[in-house]
């Protein structure tokens, strides 16, 4: 049996200290720097604290990262002024792949040419002290947004810079975000990050962790979304994390979004109690549509508004905001701020509507719960020595299979499809252990397939660009 | 036109360049190339210029399709044509496509930059791929469907 | 008893012909012109026909009217190209008040100065022949949108111009749209219009009538909205109209919108059968938020998208579309077309979601049905000689009371208010016959009133500009 | 400053001009005027210039507030100041407010037009009324709250 367990905690202080020295080597970052800095921050700079005091509406958080300090400050101030409850620090893709030299080179060249040559903020290049200054007057939490299999140095730097919410996980930041980074090594690195987060926050103000629900944002069946989130919740709880948000991306189906919200919260809480992690404060985050966006701003605004409304109906704790520039490229400060104002306004259009449901929602929730429980049982009954090993082997075996993941270890045998009512269905489960009964229900709900009126590449493109 | 014999299915190498993990268009392109009678050699994501050179040389590729979606393309694709020429692959047809630059820049400017990098055709944020497949058939003088 | 009755039909051909001659006198319009023109139009130009063949989504229809023929043609083509299922002809306010000389004068001056000096299309000034040309190549129905107590000549002209959907009614186009036009005279004029519509369409392709649900778009309790619609449905059925749409405006509460849609359809059908008008084809139309709009386009787009989604969830047959220019002024052609594209896109974001409900929706529907039945009973048991007279006297007595109606005969004793969950509540029913039990439910659902922290004028303005 | 004695509550006539039926702001203005210590004489909607003149003369009004929301204002309010002067009411303070023209025109241009019509102050699409009440108190030299 390989059940989640406190004993999996990296409790050997010497071993952890040694690994930290290796990670921090040459970075100029002192091991105690983050702990000391966080200890001096006011409560309102802590995501865990903010979640405990959420007003009667979901929080909202945009994304955003510019190469230069000056522009990141401008963005930070504009987003706060527009009403963002959490401020993002989105990291560039070179830094995400630990290519710090490339990030530094392109930062320098960009500053020289007064051009943005990075698609995000090169946190390692700027370092924790310069980044702290961005948030000197800030009165709300900052969240690290990235996509990094080995985020150890990145998170050490982020915590030392005063960032109190760390997004990511061994599965959700490896399978969709890399093609060959060794998955077991990434899972180990994220145990390090979880352990670091568990130890670095001041008493009563834990560093908050958030898993990345959307994965590849392309036809990911809800059972895969939910189980990946629950794995990362339990892996973090094993390391002593006590404030965690599970999350999911807008599926394109109102009913499936409501079903996922319900099953994810309920199963998450149940598993935390079952495995002795009842002290973990569990939150739920909803990403507005993460797939291909329409080019025309007027249409993008419609998708953004419907996403905000669904997040409100699903009773989520935070909505991660998209901008009308999504299909074009990195958003301008102005359009990002407008998106924050717009979503803040949209979230108020249906206050107190959390009780919304339907027969279709109940059926989706029932089927999802059944599929999740089967896959969890498979995970927990796995002969692997530890829960982490069980998670790793279930990816290799294809029991956990993320459609459209670029990663070589992802089996990619699961064939998803979309029903007329926009629900994401499982056409062929591949190696994912789904009962015959539930497979039958999935196919029935999928309904008759459209005739192959076009070549496969065009049908796939049409499906993927359904909302574009 | 290209070293591949016309009868045998022309080889087309494709991949996503730089620290770029956007794979969806890449998968669709690979399927479409096969459906259009090409032999697709898919390097997947997170590739470098040398990966394209090696694959083109080893497979006798008639064309190389470089994809960049995360904005790194403007740096990663610089001098691509020259690199191919140095490797004796000047004859290989070169396309660039995807979301080729960071942020919003006029398409004409983006096309100028990538043509300058030595690409024969540039597809900046095309919403469909039909145009590209038609162009590829024309450029490779390949008529087999 | 004053029950709706076929015998109320204006069947005396001579009397009707005489009144028509008086109405048409000097207009150059022949009595048979409309009938002959409509007989030659293809099916797809008839609203009644379109409603019978609605695809699996609500139809959508913008508003719009420019003074000049040239610009109205541009608008018509742009709206059709953008995907509007029904094309609007919105009439200017001078023509709505039968001030045809002012409309003609300002049309001429506007053409001379190349400026729009009218807030709509002066249909009488242009006449039916010029207006027919606008729609020569049109492949879909045109709808007359106005606000006119005496619309007899306007509708004669519209029908002769090939318009096959006529909006309005004796109550809904008098109480919100005039301050002193005699209500009984207006009710009589709308019997004329209903009779004309009943007689003018070709066999099997009846001219379609639509009542104006939003009324004053300002804190109108659902029971008033529903009963006014049912009165105009029955008054039209009495005159032989066989294709009718009841409608309502977005209330600002998702739950009340769903409740109104359900009660309006159900009660409408039941009354039609009860009074022997089973042949009437009943449709339901939803107006996106008709109150004060936000200035900022990004926020306006959010309100438009949420309105589209609610219309879809309520399973309505047509959504009337607002534009992002609403708070600024008459929309440009471009922004009106963008609004059509946006709503058409938004309507597809939740296909097949009509089953959505909640405990709050069920409670609102139950309370609304109870209030509607009481007010209908009061109407039907009225000692007046005819149903029309009963309707008239119920307005004078305040049994039917429309908040914020400018009309002098409107009692304005009903005091509405808005609960925290955005539902419109009845604080004081005035003379509207609502049972003690239902009055208690209304006050309980309203919840505790906010302390009077500001002067009344500011609190009222804040309430009215809630979504601005 | 105005023929009304300061001690008695100054009379303010208000109404919505032209074939305009937008009453919501009118009702709110009437309530606000009372709460600010004025005696409001509300002509309601669908009014004409003469209605304002008659009411101003009969009630010895200190000010006249003309509202136009449906876009007819640019025509209906032309020469308003001159009409008041002809009627011997040149001293009466004149405000225009609402959505004063058809479609979207720069506020400065709208203010110029209505000032040219003889209005002392112009409030084109104000989102609040506090400014107007303050100005009215100032213009009527009225301090009683
Ligand atoms: C889904 C998605 C993701 C998924 C990717 C999942 C996966 N592994 O594939 C996730 C959530 C993981 C993700 C991550 C990131 N993303 Co992303 N992502 C998108 C999104 C929403 C859709 C992309 C997609 O799949 N489209 C569907 C496919 C079919 O179309 P396509 O990729 O757009 O390609 C079309 C054409 O370009 C053409 N094409 C593509 N390649 C080629 C090649 C040739 C030769 C030809 C002829 C044509 C062609 O084919 C398609 C036809 O429609 C876009 C925004 C959008 N488009 O709405 C952002 C977007 C591409 N992402 C973006 C960024 C920046 C990132 C990150 C780098 C974030 C960051 N700052 O680090 C990370 C990636 C990190 C990394 N290491 O690269 C930016 C790029 C910005 C820019 N270029 O200015 C975009 C545009 C979002 C934005 N507006 O900021 N992303
Ligand atoms: C509700 C509404 C209606 C309701 C009115 C109900 C009623 N009887 O009052 C209904 C649905 C019946 C309606 C009808 C029409 N409407 Co209308 N309506 C609106 C809407 C949505 C809100 C108006 C409102 O009540 N606002 C709330 C109140 C409190 O604010 P307000 O009226 O905007 O006034 C503010 C300021 O202007 C100021 N103010 C107003 N008057 C004065 C006076 C003074 C002295 C001062 C200092 C300040 C001041 O006070 C308020 C502070 O916030 C607006 C668009 C919007 N604003 O979003 C369109 C709008 C006003 N309507 C418009 C039009 C054209 C019409 C019609 C004429 C349609 C037509 N083409 O014929 C008809 C009216 C016919 C007629 N005979 O006049 C246009 C005007 C276009 C323009 N000016 O360019 C608007 C702007 C919509 C648009 N974008 O096209 N309407």
């Amino acid at each position: 049996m390989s059940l989640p367990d406190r004993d999996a905690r990296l409790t050997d202080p010497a071993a952890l200290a040694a690994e930290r020295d290796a990670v921090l080597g040459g970075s100029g970052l002192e091991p105690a720097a983050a702990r000391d800095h966080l200890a001096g921050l006011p409560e309102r700079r802590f995501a865990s604290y903010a979640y405990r005091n959420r007003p009667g509406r979901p929080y909202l958080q945009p994304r955003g990262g510019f190469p230069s300090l000056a522009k990141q400050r401008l963005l930070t101030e504009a987003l706060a002024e527009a009403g963002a409850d959490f401020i993002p620090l989105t990291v560039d893709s070179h830094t995400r792949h630990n290519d710090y030299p490339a990030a530094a080179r392109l930062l320098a060249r960009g500053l020289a040419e007064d051009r943005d040559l990075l698609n995000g903020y090169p946190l390692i290049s700027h370092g924790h002290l310069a980044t702290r200054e961005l948030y000197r007057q800030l009165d709300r939490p900052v969240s690290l947004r990235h996509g990094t299999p080995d985020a150890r140095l990145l998170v050490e730097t982020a915590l030392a810079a005063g960032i109190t919410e760390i997004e990511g996980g061994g599965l959700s930041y490896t399978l969709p975000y890399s093609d060959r980074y060794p998955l077991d090594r990434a899972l180990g690195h994220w145990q390090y990050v979880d352990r670091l987060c568990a130890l670095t926050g001041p008493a009563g103000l834990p560093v908050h962790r958030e898993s990345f629900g959307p994965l590849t944002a392309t036809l990911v069946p809800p059972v895969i979304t939910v189980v990946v989130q629950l794995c990362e919740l339990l892996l973090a709880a094993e390391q002593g994390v006590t404030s965690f948000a599970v999350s999911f991306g807008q599926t394109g189906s109102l009913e499936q979004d409501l079903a996922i919200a319900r099953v994810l919260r309920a199963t998450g809480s149940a598993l935390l109690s079952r495995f002795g992690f009842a002290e973990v404060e569990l939150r739920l985050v909803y990403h507005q549509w993460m797939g291909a966006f329409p080019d025309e701003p007027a249409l993008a605004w419609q998708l953004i508004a419907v996403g905000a409304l669904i997040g409100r109906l699903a009773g989520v704790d935070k909505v991660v905001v998209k901008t009308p520039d999504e299909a074009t490229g990195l958003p301008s400060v102005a359009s990002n701020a407008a998106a924050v104002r717009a979503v803040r306004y949209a979230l108020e259009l249906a206050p107190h509507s959390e009780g919304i449901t339907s027969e279709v929602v109940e059926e989706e929730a029932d089927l999802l719960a059944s599929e999740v429980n089967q896959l969890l049982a498979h995970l927990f009954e796995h002969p692997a020595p530890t829960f982490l090993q069980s998670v790793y082997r279930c990816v290799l075996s294809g029991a956990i299979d993320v459609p459209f993941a670029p990663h070589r270890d992802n089996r990619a045998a699961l064939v998803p499809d979309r029903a007329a009512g926009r629900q994401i269905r499982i056409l062929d489960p591949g190696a994912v252990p789904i009962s015959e009964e539930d497979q039958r229900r999935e196919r029935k709900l999928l309904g008759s397939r459209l005739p192959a009126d076009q070549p496969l590449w065009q049908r796939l493109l049409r499906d993927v660009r359904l909302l574009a | 036109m290209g070293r591949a014999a016309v009868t045998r299915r022309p080889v087309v190498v494709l991949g996503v360049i730089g620290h770029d993990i956007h794979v969806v268009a890449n998968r669709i392109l690979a399927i479409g190339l096969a459906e259009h009678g090409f032999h697709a050699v898919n390097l997947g994501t997170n590739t470098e210029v040398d990966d394209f050179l090696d694959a083109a040389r080893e497979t006798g590729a008639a064309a190389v399709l470089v994809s960049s979606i995360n904005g790194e393309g403007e740096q990663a694709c610089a001098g691509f044509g020259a690199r191919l020429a140095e490797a004796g692959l000047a004859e290989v047809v070169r396309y660039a496509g995807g979301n080729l630059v960071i942020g919003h820049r006029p398409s004409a400017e983006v096309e100028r930059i990538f043509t300058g990098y030595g690409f024969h055709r540039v597809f900046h944020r095309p919403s469909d791929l039909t145009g590209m497949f038609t162009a590829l058939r024309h450029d490779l003088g390949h008529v087999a469907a």
Side-chain angles (χ1 to χ4, degrees), chain A, chain B:
Chain A
M1 291 282 275
S2 53
L3 301 179
D5 192 325
R6 284 182 183 282
D7 300 341
R9 202 157 288 180
L10 309 174
T11 47
D12 172 356
L16 183 61
E19 187 175 0
R20 291 195 71 201
D21 286 347
V23 168
L24 296 176
S27 74
L29 187 54
E30 291 306 318
R35 235 181 106 74
D36 297 345
H37 181 58
L38 293 186
L41 291 182
E43 282 172 336
R44 60 182 186 278
R45 283 286 306 278
F46 286 83
S48 52
Y49 176 81
Y51 275 122
R52 291 178 200 138
N53 302 285
R54 182 165 69 83
R57 63 164 176 83
Y59 280 132
L60 58 100
Q61 178 213 298
R63 291 183 179 85
F66 288 105
S68 73
L69 278 165
K71 221 170 157 188
Q72 190 63 21
R73 179 185 297 282
L74 261 176
L75 176 65
T76 298
E77 284 157 5
L79 294 176
E81 206 265 326
D85 301 303
F86 285 53
I87 297 298
L89 185 66
T90 299
V91 172
D92 71 282
S93 49
H94 297 286
T95 306
R96 294 182 184 210
H97 292 269
N98 311 113
D99 190 349
Y100 308 136
R105 187 164 34 79
L106 290 171
L107 170 63
R109 186 138 38 101
L111 292 173
E113 296 173 15
D114 189 21
R115 281 204 306 147
D116 291 346
L117 298 181
L118 294 169
N119 54 28
Y121 181 84
L123 175 57
I124 306 290
S125 314
H126 284 299
H128 65 290
L129 293 176
T131 306
R132 265 186 206 172
E133 288 317 309
L134 284 179
Y135 308 124
R136 186 60 65 187
Q137 290 86 14
L138 195 65
D139 60 356
R140 64 200 73 185
V142 182
S143 179
L144 185 70
R145 317 303 287 183
H146 52 123
T148 313
D150 176 5
R152 291 173 299 166
L153 180 57
L154 193 64
V155 173
E156 290 269 8
T157 311
L159 296 175
I163 291 169
T164 61
E165 174 178 281
I166 304 298
E167 186 188 32
L171 295 178
S172 65
Y173 262 11
T174 308
L175 297 178
Y177 275 102
S178 77
D179 72 330
R180 74 196 82 175
Y181 196 97
L183 182 58
D184 52 354
R185 201 189 304 166
L187 285 163
H189 291 330
W190 276 91
Q191 274 189 322
Y192 173 105
V193 166
D194 282 332
R195 187 69 193 136
L196 187 65
C197 292
L199 296 172
T200 305
L205 292 168
V207 168
H208 178 76
R209 282 272 295 109
E210 178 181 312
S211 175
F212 179 66
L215 296 173
T216 61
T218 309
L219 293 170
V220 181
V223 57
I224 297 298
T225 299
V226 168
V227 168
V228 166
Q229 292 300 288
L230 297 175
C231 287
E232 296 193 348
L233 168 66
L234 294 169
L235 287 169
E238 282 188 324
Q239 297 310 316
V241 166
T242 55
S243 184
F244 194 95
V246 287
S247 74
F248 68 104
Q250 186 173 348
T251 60
S253 157
L254 165 67
E255 291 82 2
Q256 273 191 334
D257 289 353
L258 298 181
I260 293 172
R262 194 189 300 175
V263 172
L264 196 44
R265 261 205 214 275
T267 324
S269 306
L271 291 175
L272 288 174
S273 328
R274 173 176 164 191
F275 295 113
F277 301 121
E279 77 281 12
V280 175
E281 293 166 278
L282 183 64
R283 311 301 179 191
L284 177 64
V285 169
Y286 179 73
H287 293 253
Q288 296 188 315
W289 179 252
M290 291 292 283
F293 248 69
D295 274 333
E296 190 184 354
L299 305 189
W301 284 123
Q302 303 297 287
L303 183 52
I304 288 167
V306 168
L309 186 73
I310 294 176
R312 184 75 206 229
L313 299 181
V316 301
D317 298 307
K318 183 174 74 173
V319 173
V320 186
V321 171
K322 281 281 173 171
T323 81
D325 291 350
E326 181 63 18
T328 318
L330 291 182
S332 61
V333 171
S335 103
N336 212 339
V340 168
R341 286 194 302 276
V343 170
R344 215 182 145 101
Y345 172 87
L347 285 173
E348 290 307 319
L349 291 180
H352 312 299
S353 296
E354 284 78 5
I356 287 283
T357 185
S358 72
E359 272 170 37
V360 172
V361 173
E362 299 303 328
E363 183 174 24
E364 289 295 331
D366 179 61
L367 174 57
L368 178 56
S370 168
E371 291 173 349
V372 165
N373 291 333
Q374 283 155 52
L375 187 46
L376 286 176
H378 178 85
L379 255 163
F380 297 145
E381 287 145 16
H382 203 283
T386 65
F387 178 61
L388 181 143
Q389 280 300 321
S390 162
V391 167
Y392 175 50
R393 292 185 192 160
C394 283
V395 173
L396 298 189
S397 70
I400 294 177
D401 190 340
V402 179
F404 290 99
H407 202 280
R408 298 184 172 183
D409 292 346
N410 188 70
R411 191 67 177 286
L414 169 70
V415 180
D417 201 347
R418 200 180 276 281
R422 296 289 172 85
Q423 289 79 8
I424 298 173
R425 296 270 67 103
I426 296 174
L427 190 61
D428 179 345
V432 181
I434 298 200
S435 69
E436 283 307 319
E437 163 63 6
D438 286 346
Q439 285 186 48
R440 200 187 47 70
R441 284 170 76 179
E442 285 282 351
R443 276 193 296 277
K444 189 167 78 61
L445 286 168
L446 178 58
S448 57
R449 301 289 297 105
L450 291 175
D453 54 349
Q454 295 178 312
L456 177 59
W457 75 268
Q458 247 169 342
R459 277 181 286 126
L460 261 177
L461 189 58
R462 190 183 51 193
D463 280 359
V464 163
R465 288 182 57 81
L466 180 67
L467 300 190
Chain B
M1 261 317 298
R3 290 184 296 134
V6 168
T7 49
R8 219 167 27 68
R9 287 188 309 145
V11 175
V12 178
V13 171
L14 70 157
V16 189
I17 199 161
H19 296 300
D20 194 342
I21 49 79
H22 292 92
V23 75
V24 180
N26 171 265
R27 293 261 167 86
I28 293 176
L29 269 167
I31 295 170
L33 285 168
E35 289 178 313
H36 280 80
F38 298 102
H39 173 68
V41 172
N42 191 353
L43 304 180
T45 65
N46 301 76
T47 61
E48 285 163 3
V49 175
D50 291 340
D51 301 328
F52 287 93
L53 300 188
D54 300 343
R57 196 182 303 107
E58 286 149 28
T59 65
V64 164
L65 310 186
V66 179
S67 185
S68 168
I69 314 266
N70 73 358
E72 291 182 21
E74 193 173 356
Q75 306 307 317
C77 295
F80 190 85
R83 292 290 305 284
L84 236 70
E86 284 154 29
L89 299 163
E91 292 303 307
V92 177
V93 172
R94 301 175 287 280
Y95 291 174
N99 194 328
L100 293 170
V101 293
I102 285 178
H104 185 49
R105 302 236 303 272
S107 283
E109 179 192 330
V110 176
E111 272 143 33
R112 222 178 18 261
I113 293 170
F114 281 79
T115 311
Y117 287 168
F119 288 97
H120 295 101
R121 293 182 191 270
V122 180
F123 300 85
H124 179 55
R125 295 187 57 247
S127 59
D128 182 29
L129 295 170
T130 320
M132 187 277 284
F133 289 127
T134 316
L136 195 59
R137 278 199 173 143
H138 170 267
D139 294 349
L140 301 194
H142 165 73
V143 286

